Amino acid sequence: MKKRMNEIVEKSYELLINKINYGNINVDNEAGFQLQFAYILKCLGQLYEFSPNERFTVELEKKIELSATTVKNNTNKAKIDIFLKLEDEDTSCKCAIELKYFKRENHREPNNRYDVFSDISNLEMYKLDGIDVCYFIMGTDHIHYVDQRRYSDDTKDFDFRDRSKYIKNTKLSYRTQKPYGEDIVLRNSYEFKWDKFVELYFLKVEI
């Protein structure tokens, strides 16, 4: 089931970004990004119900309780942007997806970059608490996140530009006078690879 869940997310992501890029669907904000992706996931996921007893479900803003507190909100409660489940009578596979959609006109820097790593940190916690498959997915029309030449020394730790890498257990810190959030340390290493179109950019990270 885990293999099928990965295929559902990967293929749905490919459909989503191509439909947005070619103008088949229009996305103006994160809520729209979430709804369009959830629709594609539901349609495709139901095709992966291979036996009469299997069921694929999609939930938005799924509330969960964690065994530890999150970095940004310092609480053990969280809401998953998109929660998927493929199950039958004997077994199940659960998937959590966190999303970001940043528009150039709503430039909110460097806090947006911090929030990306905060989401990845949450996803690592979800996986420790028994969610089988976890993804972070982002869309933007702002090249700043993809190919910016450099970031300020105060916030350069929060870097997910194309081909950049995060090495596990590296501490990420705000060095501004008033930090936006606590330091973040991730359990796993990641390489960030963007899908680039003419004016749109998409990032998918499997946790």
Side-chain angles (χ1 to χ4, degrees):
M1 278 192 175
K2 184 176 179 181
K3 181 180 178 182
R4 276 191 280 165
M5 184 65 81
N6 282 111
E7 287 182 5
I8 292 166
V9 177
E10 297 279 348
K11 290 180 179 179
S12 295
Y13 167 80
E14 184 177 350
L15 289 169
L16 175 72
I17 65 173
N18 278 284
K19 279 182 168 291
I20 295 172
N21 179 59
Y22 287 105
N24 185 267
I25 57 177
N26 183 51
V27 171
D28 290 322
N29 52 44
E30 190 171 307
F33 195 51
Q34 180 190 42
L35 288 172
Q36 294 289 355
F37 194 26
Y39 175 76
I40 294 171
L41 286 162
K42 182 177 181 180
C43 292
L44 188 60
Q46 289 176 342
L47 295 175
Y48 276 81
E49 298 172 343
F50 291 159
S51 75
N53 295 325
E54 289 184 341
R55 185 166 177 252
F56 180 81
T57 55
V58 181
E59 293 183 60
L60 303 184
E61 305 298 331
K62 168 100 172 157
K63 294 180 180 180
I64 62 169
E65 289 193 9
L66 301 168
S67 58
T69 59
T70 61
V71 173
K72 184 178 177 183
N73 297 320
N74 195 30
T75 177
N76 71 331
K77 300 182 186 299
K79 285 196 299 184
I80 299 170
D81 288 337
I82 300 178
F83 179 78
L84 313 174
K85 184 185 283 188
L86 180 62
E87 60 186 332
D88 60 21
E89 294 174 342
D90 302 316
T91 186
S92 69
C93 181
K94 295 176 286 185
C95 174
I97 302 172
E98 293 291 355
L99 302 172
K100 286 285 182 284
Y101 196 82
F102 296 147
K103 296 282 286 185
R104 184 186 184 97
E105 63 193 38
N106 298 322
H107 193 54
R108 180 177 164 271
E109 274 296 282
N111 297 348
N112 281 344
R113 287 187 282 121
Y114 180 96
D115 287 345
V116 167
F117 282 96
S118 176
D119 274 0
I120 294 174
S121 175
N122 284 2
L123 286 160
E124 289 189 337
M125 294 174 66
Y126 303 161
K127 202 155 192 182
L128 287 174
D129 281 358
I131 294 182
D132 307 286
V133 176
C134 293
Y135 281 89
F136 173 78
I137 291 173
M138 174 180 165
T140 186
D141 62 354
H142 199 347
I143 195 69
H144 172 84
Y145 302 105
V146 186
D147 287 328
Q148 179 80 355
R149 184 175 178 183
R150 65 183 297 271
Y151 296 127
S152 72
D153 289 340
D154 290 340
T155 63
K156 65 182 179 181
D157 287 1
F158 302 95
D159 180 6
F160 48 87
R161 290 171 295 177
D162 192 36
R163 303 296 174 179
S164 66
K165 295 180 181 180
Y166 172 84
I167 306 302
K168 64 180 181 180
N169 299 322
T170 300
K171 184 168 70 174
L172 307 177
S173 301
Y174 253 70
R175 298 181 180 86
T176 54
Q177 188 173 1
K178 276 189 169 183
Y180 173 65
E182 299 293 328
D183 294 345
I184 295 176
V185 178
L186 303 179
R187 295 176 174 87
N188 302 301
S189 297
Y190 301 98
E191 182 175 1
F192 302 100
K193 297 179 181 179
W194 286 80
D195 292 298
K196 302 178 185 179
F197 297 97
V198 176
E199 296 180 346
L200 294 170
Y201 314 94
F202 299 93
L203 175 66
K204 171 174 57 66
V205 181
E206 183 178 0
I207 309 303

